[in-house]
Amino acid sequence: MTRSKLLEAIAGGDLSRVAALLHPDTALNPAQGSTPLYRAAMRGDQEIVRLLLEYGADPDQPSGGDEEGLPLCAAACWNHAETVQALLDGGADPDAREAGGWTALLWAAANGNLASADILLDAGATPDLADDEGDTPLTLAARYGAYGIVWSLLEHGADPSLPGTDGAAPLEIARRWAAADLEAALRAEAAAQVEGECTLLVGRSRAADGTQLVTVEARRPDGSGYGLTRQLGHAAVATVLETALGVRPSAGELLRRVLPYRELDGEDETWWAAVYALRQRHDDETFAAAARLCEGDDPVGREFGADVLAEFGQEGRGSYHERTLPLLREMARREDDPQVLDAVLHALGHHADERALPEVLAVVERPGRRPTVSDAMALAAVLPPDDDEGLAALVRLSECPDDEVRDWATMAVAGLAADTPRIREALAARLGDPDPATAAEAAHGLAARGDRRAIEGIHRVLCETRRLPGDQSYARELALEAAQELGLEISGS
């Protein structure tokens, strides 16, 4: 009776009732039937999970209910990341297997659950542990199109050459799906799973890694049905797997691959996967290919080439800096496409060479130009300590109506090595900025210079971020660092 009441309380998410039902001899690990811990893990109720673990629930005992298994697998399958962490904190084995040889990491990979996969990998889950059919986390993530999980698996040492259940390696799987019409394939599969009349519904959203999430549901007239979800991340997956395997598609091939995704990805994930792949080669052949793109007629090609060259010539990478800088400076002088120009500024910011100041300044001050974050980043990177004209332009950017540009410019002013009245006044002017992060950057810059006007900004940021919606942790951390710089004691922060 006690266990049925406990399961009922867990189903309702009633923490206080669960706590009232628990006592030292409560049977939390029954040999048959559903375990309370599994039910709580499947719901993603991490507070109840932690409470059950404190009272002796076994995190590695499979639940005996119909189609049930390990609590950790249930939490990972439904992407209850906080519950995954709670179970691991309670001693759950990250490599424990349930029916079919499935582990929590396999469930996370098969369902594109990035947050859970990352937690499991950081906890020591074996990245190549396969199920009984031979599928690995990498083959499952490649099939799903889970770019972020593939990246994380490779970072944690997964072997990109291991084949899956059908004998296909992850790269073959990713390329096959990248060449397919994903929505059409999902529609056909969903319809095949539902007998008789049905309506197909298609939904699109954003996955945790930024790629598009496509959901297709075949719904019967009575409301029941069958649904499938995949990510449009297969092209990016193929690119990172090629890099891991030493496969070298040409710059042109990679550019053609990314073009269909420019309007689909949240932050150009497929584009940047290709850019990073080319940057890592860092050889004459790749440099020449990127330079040709920069000099071509196609603005998208020029943008791609500039992004690739942004990190050529960085420390320890030979003479590419001296070869890249003149090319980028010339692009800044002649380019009129806004997106290409932004990429050029981004690249010049990475190279951080004061010789590019005239070109950067000319772009930033072009009549009618709408400033971007790259304006502030590039100008701060190439600004000599004693250049009044450049500093004045950077200060003007710190007054820009665009919150993001203003924030980056204020951070750039705060980070300058110089300490002048002009810099201090520019920072003091931002202490009342409506954006908490910008105000915090200003306070941080003043505090670093020993200017006690920062206290006004520190107090405001710490008070206001308590009641503002969204994650304000960055602004608060900056304000607390500024307070520490001035030797202030902050209580209740």
Side-chain angles (χ1 to χ4, degrees), residues 272 274-275 278-279 286 290 293 303-312:
W272 288 109
V275 167
L278 290 168
R279 284 179 182 174
T286 306
L293 287 171
E303 181 185 357
F304 189 68
D307 281 338
V308 171
L309 292 181
E311 293 189 18
F312 267 72

Side-chain angles (χ1 to χ4, degrees), residues 163-214:
T165 183
D166 59 356
L171 178 56
E172 181 184 345
I173 295 169
R175 284 176 170 173
R176 182 194 309 153
W177 278 101
D181 183 331
L182 180 65
E183 181 183 323
L186 294 181
R187 289 169 67 94
E189 185 176 347
Q193 295 293 327
V194 178
E195 294 182 2
E197 181 185 352
C198 69
T199 301
L200 290 173
L201 305 175
V202 180
R204 298 182 184 277
S205 57
R206 190 69 59 200
D209 61 19
T211 59
Q212 192 173 96
L213 202 62
V214 180

Side-chain angles (χ1 to χ4, degrees), residues 309-325:
L309 292 181
E311 293 189 18
F312 267 72
Q314 299 299 298
E315 184 178 355
R317 290 186 168 179
S319 63
Y320 289 112
H321 176 82
E322 293 301 324
R323 296 164 64 183
T324 301
L325 186 63

Side-chain angles (χ1 to χ4, degrees), residues 116-186:
S116 294
D118 279 343
I119 291 170
L120 289 162
L121 287 165
D122 288 343
T126 304
D128 288 331
L129 201 58
D131 64 16
D132 291 351
E133 300 296 323
D135 264 319
T136 68
L138 205 50
T139 59
L140 293 172
R143 190 171 297 122
Y144 192 89
Y147 166 57
I149 295 180
V150 168
W151 185 291
S152 190
L153 285 165
L154 293 171
E155 288 286 301
H156 285 84
D159 184 347
S161 66
L162 293 177
T165 183
D166 59 356
L171 178 56
E172 181 184 345
I173 295 169
R175 284 176 170 173
R176 182 194 309 153
W177 278 101
D181 183 331
L182 180 65
E183 181 183 323
L186 294 181

Side-chain angles (χ1 to χ4, degrees), residues 291-343:
R292 284 194 298 273
L293 287 171
C294 288
E295 295 165 352
D297 295 330
D298 177 17
V300 178
R302 296 198 300 275
E303 181 185 357
F304 189 68
D307 281 338
V308 171
L309 292 181
E311 293 189 18
F312 267 72
Q314 299 299 298
E315 184 178 355
R317 290 186 168 179
S319 63
Y320 289 112
H321 176 82
E322 293 301 324
R323 296 164 64 183
T324 301
L325 186 63
L327 190 156
L328 292 173
R329 292 178 69 184
E330 175 59 28
M331 287 184 76
R333 286 191 288 268
R334 61 176 167 79
E335 187 59 61
D336 56 8
D337 183 283
Q339 281 189 258
V340 181
L341 208 48
D342 199 59

Side-chain angles (χ1 to χ4, degrees), residues 38-49:
Y38 180 87
R39 291 291 183 86
M42 187 175 64
R43 278 182 47 85
D45 201 324
Q46 62 106 1
E47 289 185 326
I48 293 179
V49 164

Side-chain angles (χ1 to χ4, degrees), residues 380-444:
V382 302
L383 186 62
D386 56 351
D387 191 283
D388 292 336
E389 185 183 1
L391 176 59
L394 189 58
V395 170
R396 284 195 294 275
L397 287 172
S398 75
E399 300 164 350
C400 178
D402 185 295
D403 286 353
E404 193 174 13
V405 174
R406 198 170 65 250
D407 179 39
W408 275 80
T410 302
M411 178 173 63
V413 173
L416 293 173
D419 181 9
T420 67
R422 182 72 183 93
I423 290 173
R424 291 193 181 207
E425 291 306 316
L427 293 172
R430 300 266 57 83
L431 291 174
D433 196 279
D435 176 48
T438 303
E441 295 285 5
H444 194 264

